[in-house]
Amino acid sequence: MSKTYCIINSTDVSSVDFDQVFETSENTLRYNIEETQTFVKYEGSKPRFLYGKDTYTHSQILEILAGEDWSPIE
């Protein structure tokens, strides 16, 4: 089974059930440059706290994370 990714707002981190995603705590999340968004990954059914959020495949999230909002321009 492949992993699915969801981008969430930083303000929604408190609603994350870390038992349902691969990340283990707030401290293991990667944030965008402005620290306004982060993402989580899961396998199987979409966790209820992510309902209404867009989902991405591995290749899609890699493309997003390579963008200027997530990676500093060198």
Side-chain angles (χ1 to χ4, degrees):
M1 194 172 290
S2 62
K3 294 179 181 120
T4 304
Y5 301 78
C6 280
I7 295 175
I8 61 172
N9 292 325
S10 301
T11 55
D12 294 332
V13 169
S14 61
S15 70
V16 173
D17 180 348
F18 287 100
D19 291 330
Q20 296 183 32
V21 296
F22 282 91
E23 293 72 24
T24 56
S25 72
E26 272 187 61
N27 298 330
T28 61
L29 296 173
R30 176 181 168 186
Y31 288 86
N32 65 351
I33 292 172
E34 294 182 359
E35 296 187 2
T36 57
Q37 292 183 315
T38 186
F39 66 95
V40 293
K41 57 187 169 291
Y42 64 91
E43 277 184 340
S45 299
K46 189 176 199 176
R48 186 171 217 77
F49 67 88
L50 293 174
Y51 285 6
K53 307 287 185 197
D54 292 334
T55 59
Y56 303 94
T57 64
H58 184 251
S59 60
Q60 288 172 322
I61 199 73
L62 287 178
E63 189 173 323
I64 292 167
L65 297 179
E68 63 185 32
D69 291 340
W70 290 84
S71 298
I73 299 172
E74 297 179 23

